[in-house]
């Protein structure tokens, strides 16, 4: 349900001692003819990999050469421990690893812990949170002429997520309308995910879905990394060295069953169940075979796995 502000909640509850990270967000547009945009990747990040980081670089190249957007900020938003998923390490470790990875990102990527350290939040609400902090609290960004301008918040995700969005009954229509209609997504192709087939039923929102092809295929996943770690195999050059060092120092991912037990019993299916409450019908309207794109959201087992 929408509030009078256009958000899907009337207010936001912050975790203890929380403050929104602005330290690497640009305050002024370089080109006043462009639309300022912030990229948000929601995911498990258990652990964060080079592919997660590479997605931001691919999106930056795509935006620079193919759109009228200008990136002013980019965020990793690790999911809450309440997201039920095998191999989900506790939020403290995942946020720490994301922060280490962001430090190696060239000075433009940030980590927002708002989602991680509280009860499970739907992707639509997470995007509203970013919009509120960036545009309502901070006032957006300035143009070269000194005018204040709102920043467009957009989801960045892998194409494995788009398939869950196109499956009837998985996402509520109202959340899809909010995420794809109000905000929009950049979908990065991932190995083994057929983007065209997955996005046929999302053609209603194709104007807000931007599909990015991987020119160099990379199929690294957190799931494979955890498997390597349990088998005592090296994961160097799959993750930033600082993240590998952190995993080794804390002895993480040695026993998947123990890590899975750290996850709460309530997770992604909450989004599916709330979807049925939010909408009279969870069936996604059919549309002519034109593709939209995929993006990470919190409804399915992969969520940037």
């Amino acid at each position: 349900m929408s509030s009078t502000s256009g958000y899907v909640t009337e207010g936001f509850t912050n975790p203890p001692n929380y403050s929104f990270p602005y330290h690497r967000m640009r305050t002024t547009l370089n080109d006043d003819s462009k639309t300022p945009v912030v990229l948000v990747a929601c995911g498990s990040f258990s652990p964060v990999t080079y592919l997660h980081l590479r997605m931001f670089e691919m999106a930056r190249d795509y935006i620079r050469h193919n759109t009228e957007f200008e990136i002013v900020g980019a965020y990793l938003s690790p999911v809450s421990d309440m997201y039920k998923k095998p191999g989900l390490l506790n939020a403290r470790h995942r946020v720490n690893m994301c922060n280490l990875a962001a430090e190696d990102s060239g000075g433009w990527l940030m980590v927002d812990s708002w989602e991680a350290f509280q009860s499970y939040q739907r992707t639509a609400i997470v995007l509203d949170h970013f919009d509120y902090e960036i545009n309502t609290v901070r006032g957006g960004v300035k143009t070269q002429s000194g005018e204040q301008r709102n920043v467009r918040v957009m989801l960045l995700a892998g194409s494995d997520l788009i398939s869950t969005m196109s499956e009837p009954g998985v996402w509520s229509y109202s959340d899809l309308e909010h995420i794809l209609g109000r905000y929009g997504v950049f979908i990065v192709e991932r190995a083994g995910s057929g983007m065209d087939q997955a996005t046929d039923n999302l053609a209603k929102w194709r104007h807000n879905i931007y599909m990015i092809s991987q020119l160099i295929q990379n199929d690294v996943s957190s799931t494979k990394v955890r498997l390597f770690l349990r088998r005592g195999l090296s994961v160097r050059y799959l993750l930033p060295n600082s993240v590998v060092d952190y995993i080794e120092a804390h002895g993480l991912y040695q026993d998947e069953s123990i890590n899975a037990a750290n996850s709460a019993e309530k997770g992604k299916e909450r989004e599916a169940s709330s979807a049925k409450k939010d909408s009279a019908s969870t069936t996604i309207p059919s549309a002519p075979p034109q593709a939209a794109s995929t993006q990470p959201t919190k409804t399915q087992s992969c969520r940037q796995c």
Side-chain angles (χ1 to χ4, degrees):
M1 105 183 27
S2 297
S3 70
T4 54
S5 65
Y7 297 142
V8 291
T9 180
E10 288 291 349
F12 302 101
T13 301
N14 291 338
N17 304 315
Y18 169 80
S19 61
F20 186 81
Y22 295 110
H23 59 292
R24 288 176 172 169
M25 184 174 162
R26 297 212 338 258
T27 58
T28 306
L29 273 174
N30 289 327
D31 184 345
D32 286 1
S33 69
K34 302 283 188 178
T35 299
V37 66
V38 159
L39 302 177
V40 178
C42 300
S44 302
F45 307 121
S46 187
V48 61
T49 72
Y50 272 133
L51 179 54
H52 295 135
L53 305 179
R54 178 68 185 153
M55 286 173 58
F56 285 92
E57 295 298 320
M58 287 186 282
R60 180 158 63 174
D61 284 343
Y62 179 89
I63 287 170
R64 182 187 298 125
H65 295 291
N66 298 283
T67 75
E68 294 303 315
F69 296 122
E70 182 179 317
I71 298 176
V72 295
Y75 292 87
L76 292 163
S77 180
V79 73
S80 164
D81 286 344
M82 298 295 284
Y83 175 42
K84 184 181 179 182
K85 179 181 178 181
L88 185 67
L89 205 62
N90 73 64
R92 179 177 62 86
H93 284 310
R94 290 184 289 111
V95 169
N96 287 345
M97 288 187 287
C98 284
N99 276 318
L100 289 170
E103 288 301 313
D104 294 335
S105 69
W108 72 299
L109 186 59
M110 294 166 280
V111 180
D112 181 32
S113 63
W114 181 84
E115 180 184 2
F117 293 124
Q118 61 175 314
S119 61
Y120 173 74
Q121 301 293 329
R122 300 185 344 263
T123 301
I125 294 178
V126 174
L127 295 178
D128 280 352
H129 152 75
F130 276 94
D131 189 40
Y132 173 78
E133 291 288 349
I134 293 169
N135 290 316
T136 301
V137 176
R138 193 171 191 252
V141 296
K142 288 185 178 181
T143 64
Q144 291 291 323
S145 61
E147 170 197 354
Q148 291 293 134
R149 185 176 296 178
N150 276 354
V151 175
R152 183 166 176 183
V153 174
M154 298 187 71
L155 192 62
L156 174 65
S159 57
D160 44 353
L161 248 298
I162 203 67
S163 61
T164 71
M165 288 183 166
S166 64
E167 293 176 11
V170 177
W171 293 76
S172 71
Y173 178 82
S174 60
D175 272 5
L176 286 176
E177 177 66 40
H178 200 71
I179 295 166
L180 301 178
R182 178 184 174 110
Y183 293 109
V185 299
F186 288 97
I187 304 301
V188 176
E189 174 191 19
R190 295 189 68 168
S193 298
M195 291 197 289
D196 291 341
Q197 180 179 357
T199 55
D200 279 352
N201 284 343
L202 302 177
K204 172 185 176 181
W205 300 286
R206 61 182 174 271
H207 62 289
N208 268 346
I209 300 175
Y210 299 82
M211 301 174 68
I212 304 171
S213 297
Q214 282 203 67
L215 300 181
I216 299 177
Q217 291 298 316
N218 183 340
D219 67 347
V220 173
S221 70
S222 299
T223 302
K224 293 177 181 178
V225 168
R226 294 194 302 269
L227 178 61
F228 272 41
L229 290 168
R230 292 201 308 275
R231 292 180 175 178
L233 302 176
S234 171
V235 293
R236 293 279 173 187
Y237 310 112
L238 301 178
L239 324 174
N241 283 337
S242 56
V243 176
V244 177
D245 292 341
Y246 184 92
I247 290 171
E248 292 178 349
H250 292 84
L252 305 180
Y253 301 112
Q254 299 305 304
D255 186 338
E256 187 87 340
S257 63
I258 293 176
N259 295 327
N262 289 333
S263 297
E265 290 303 315
K266 301 167 187 178
K268 282 293 159 200
E269 72 268 23
R270 281 190 169 191
E271 193 150 3
S273 64
S274 67
K276 296 177 182 178
K277 296 177 183 177
D278 288 344
S279 175
S281 172
T282 57
T283 302
I284 300 168
S286 59
Q290 186 106 0
S293 198
T294 173
Q295 143 68 43
T297 182
K298 309 166 187 158
T299 306
Q300 196 74 5
S301 59
C302 190
R303 186 114 191 268
Q304 304 270 26
C305 48

